[in-house]
Amino acid sequence: MYSDITNFIHQLYGTDDFVPLHAPLFIGNEKKYLNECIDTTFVSSVGKFVDRFEEEIAAYTGAKKVVVCVSGTNALHMAMMLVGVERDDEVLTQALTFIATCNAISYIGAHPVFIDVDKETLGLSPNAVKVWLQKNAEIKNNTCYNKNTSRRIKACVPMHTFGHPVKIDELAEICKEWHIELVEDAAESLGSFYKRQHTGTFGRVSAISFNGNKTITTGGGGMLLFQDEELGKLAKHLTTQAKVPHRWAFIHDHIGYNYRMPNINAALGCAQLENLERYVEDKRNTAERYKEFFANMPDITFFSEPADSRSNYWLNVVLLDDKASQQEFLEYTNDHGVMTRPVWELMNRLDMFKHCETDGLKNTEWLADRIVNIPSSVRLIK
Ligand SMILES: *Cc1c(COP(=O)(O)O)cnc(C)c1O
């Protein structure tokens, strides 16, 4: 049975060689724009591609303001600061995520609280958040506190896992009711829409990543999305060393950060963005092919996009029957030239976060024993 799978994947990608999980693809104006940076010497913090990349992503996503960063991780760090997360605050998030979400919370000295995910989205469960808050939280002076720890619960960070949108409108509603700031970790979900609205435009601030394995890449890079233009302007200021504009004087009015994406990375991003829709269509077609193929395999379930959403299918997911089958699947495929991997080790199992509060994480634990990511690169179907 597993040989049928590796054969199918080799055939799908038209190769007998190793099939990676997600490889970047450069088929457009990448070289042209990079050469332009080199020819004009504008490779660093000055140049037209930064503004252009920000404007084009704003137009594509519908965000009011966009600020590019050096990485998705520092975009998340900045997002936490901008919504006012402070040392010893608590931040509600999922344990089923990439480490960067929790690192960003930790940079500030705040504490993640891990709430369960929904099986149908793989992302933070509105219902679980509501149940946990009703049991553990109270509101005093328009501020939400954890009754057990007395710490302020300042923010909530859902993640659109593998590009599949969470029920973000329900989460937004709950956050509003409990006076909690909503930050979307949309690192994986460029090109994914929920109820026809782009992911990352529901929260007060959101972060996207352009790391080499994401749907489009700038080499390394990230981006902040805002609905609030003033907050976006503040972000631009803080990510560029908080320098007060002046022709020659270097005056800074805040502790700033060197988080600005260089022009050469933005140039790559502009070229990649020109093909984003094509890539997403291609990835959705791959998902369709997987879905048909796995429909004939009773022991393996292909994970399809949740209701009301259009997913970019960044990384395709299959669910195995149990942990033993998951391990067998991983071993066979990786032994036979097909790269697959389980979901990231759950955050609550890592040394740095194992003392953090959780709600039991029933679905999270269930999914961690079953999820396997399978190759998902753009195939360039004709
Ligand atoms: C990729 C990713 C990030 C961070 O991105 P970098 O650009 O690599 O710093 C953050 N969160 C999630 C969920 C990611 O997948």
Side-chain angles (χ1 to χ4, degrees):
M1 179 182 85
Y2 289 150
S3 62
D4 292 347
I5 297 170
T6 50
N7 288 341
F8 175 76
I9 294 176
H10 278 122
Q11 194 196 345
L12 191 63
Y13 280 93
T15 176
D16 292 331
D17 296 340
F18 175 76
V19 184
L21 203 59
H22 204 288
L25 183 66
F26 306 109
I27 52 164
N29 287 319
E30 285 86 356
K31 281 187 181 162
K32 186 177 162 210
Y33 295 168
L34 290 175
N35 274 333
E36 203 175 311
C37 292
I38 291 167
D39 291 344
T40 60
T41 76
F42 287 124
V43 295
S44 188
S45 56
V46 178
K48 68 174 193 190
F49 286 111
V50 167
D51 291 340
R52 177 173 154 190
F53 194 36
E54 288 180 344
E55 281 159 21
E56 289 180 355
I57 293 266
Y60 177 78
T61 58
K64 289 243 167 50
K65 173 96 182 142
V66 165
V67 175
V68 284
C69 293
V70 173
S71 73
T73 306
N74 62 38
L76 278 168
H77 179 207
M78 186 53 60
M80 296 301 143
M81 290 191 277
L82 289 167
V83 301
V85 175
E86 290 173 2
R87 176 166 296 279
D88 284 331
D89 281 343
E90 292 183 357
V91 177
L92 310 182
T93 190
Q94 50 199 74
L96 195 155
T97 186
F98 177 58
I99 185 84
T101 322
C102 294
N103 281 343
I105 296 167
S106 304
Y107 295 159
I108 299 190
H111 306 272
V113 174
F114 298 116
I115 309 290
D116 210 3
V117 295
D118 279 326
K119 279 186 187 172
E120 66 273 25
T121 66
L122 310 177
L124 195 64
S125 163
N127 196 46
V129 170
K130 197 192 286 179
V131 168
W132 186 86
L133 284 168
Q134 281 166 354
K135 195 160 155 231
N136 298 287
E138 62 184 345
I139 295 174
K140 284 188 290 190
N141 302 324
N142 292 330
T143 306
C144 187
Y145 290 93
N146 183 329
K147 284 190 283 190
N148 315 309
T149 62
S150 303
R151 289 176 182 145
R152 182 170 71 157
I153 301 167
K154 185 63 187 174
C156 174
V157 190
M159 197 275 277
H160 302 286
T161 310
F162 307 128
H164 297 298
V166 298
K167 296 171 194 159
I168 191 69
D169 52 351
E170 289 179 43
L171 286 165
E173 191 92 353
I174 295 164
C175 286
K176 197 170 159 202
E177 184 188 333
W178 287 86
H179 302 271
I180 295 171
E181 299 280 3
L182 180 62
V183 173
E184 287 174 79
D185 184 343
E188 304 175 356
S189 67
L190 183 65
S192 298
F193 293 76
Y194 181 71
K195 296 187 178 167
R196 297 178 174 272
Q197 185 179 334
H198 198 280
T199 51
T201 61
F202 294 82
R204 184 138 176 253
V205 188
S206 307
I208 290 180
S209 166
F210 299 106
N211 187 30
N213 66 349
K214 296 293 186 340
T215 301
I216 64 169
T217 186
T218 58
M223 176 173 275
L224 289 156
L225 304 188
F226 298 91
Q227 294 316 309
D228 173 346
E229 211 165 329
E230 287 309 307
L231 198 62
K233 282 186 188 151
L234 177 62
K236 190 76 193 177
H237 187 58
L238 294 177
T239 52
T240 52
Q241 302 283 32
K243 183 178 177 294
V244 181
H246 191 279
R247 281 205 292 158
W248 55 78
F250 271 71
I251 298 175
H252 306 261
D253 61 3
H254 203 281
I255 302 285
Y257 298 81
N258 183 12
Y259 278 1
R260 181 192 170 101
M261 178 187 281
N263 198 49
I264 196 162
N265 298 85
L268 199 54
C270 287
Q272 289 265 286
L273 187 59
E274 289 168 354
N275 280 310
L276 174 61
E277 269 305 305
R278 180 175 177 194
Y279 285 11
V280 173
E281 282 308 319
D282 185 290
K283 289 164 74 62
R284 291 180 58 77
N285 177 281
T286 301
E288 212 39 59
R289 297 286 305 276
Y290 275 135
K291 190 176 173 177
E292 284 164 20
F293 175 77
F294 285 107
N296 302 316
M297 298 212 165
D299 302 331
I300 301 179
T301 307
F302 179 76
F303 184 88
S304 295
E305 65 192 348
D308 299 322
S309 60
R310 184 259 206 176
S311 172
N312 67 4
Y313 281 95
W314 170 54
L315 285 186
N316 287 289
V317 173
V318 287
L319 295 168
L320 280 290
D321 269 351
D322 52 31
K323 193 171 176 70
S325 335
Q326 180 198 42
Q327 296 305 310
E328 270 175 43
F329 184 101
L330 287 166
E331 202 152 318
Y332 186 91
T333 47
N334 283 293
D335 279 350
H336 291 81
V338 172
M339 185 175 172
T340 62
R341 67 175 191 211
V343 72
W344 314 277
E345 181 69 285
L346 296 178
M347 294 302 110
N348 59 305
R349 294 179 188 164
L350 299 178
D351 278 348
M352 308 80 80
F353 302 115
K354 64 184 176 201
H355 60 279
C356 294
E357 186 168 351
T358 80
D359 72 346
L361 304 175
K362 196 159 151 265
N363 293 339
T364 303
E365 304 270 357
W366 188 92
L367 285 166
D369 286 346
R370 288 165 178 80
I371 289 176
V372 176
N373 289 129
I374 54 178
S376 304
S377 309
V378 173
R379 293 187 296 126
L380 273 192
I381 44 167
K382 295 291 180 307

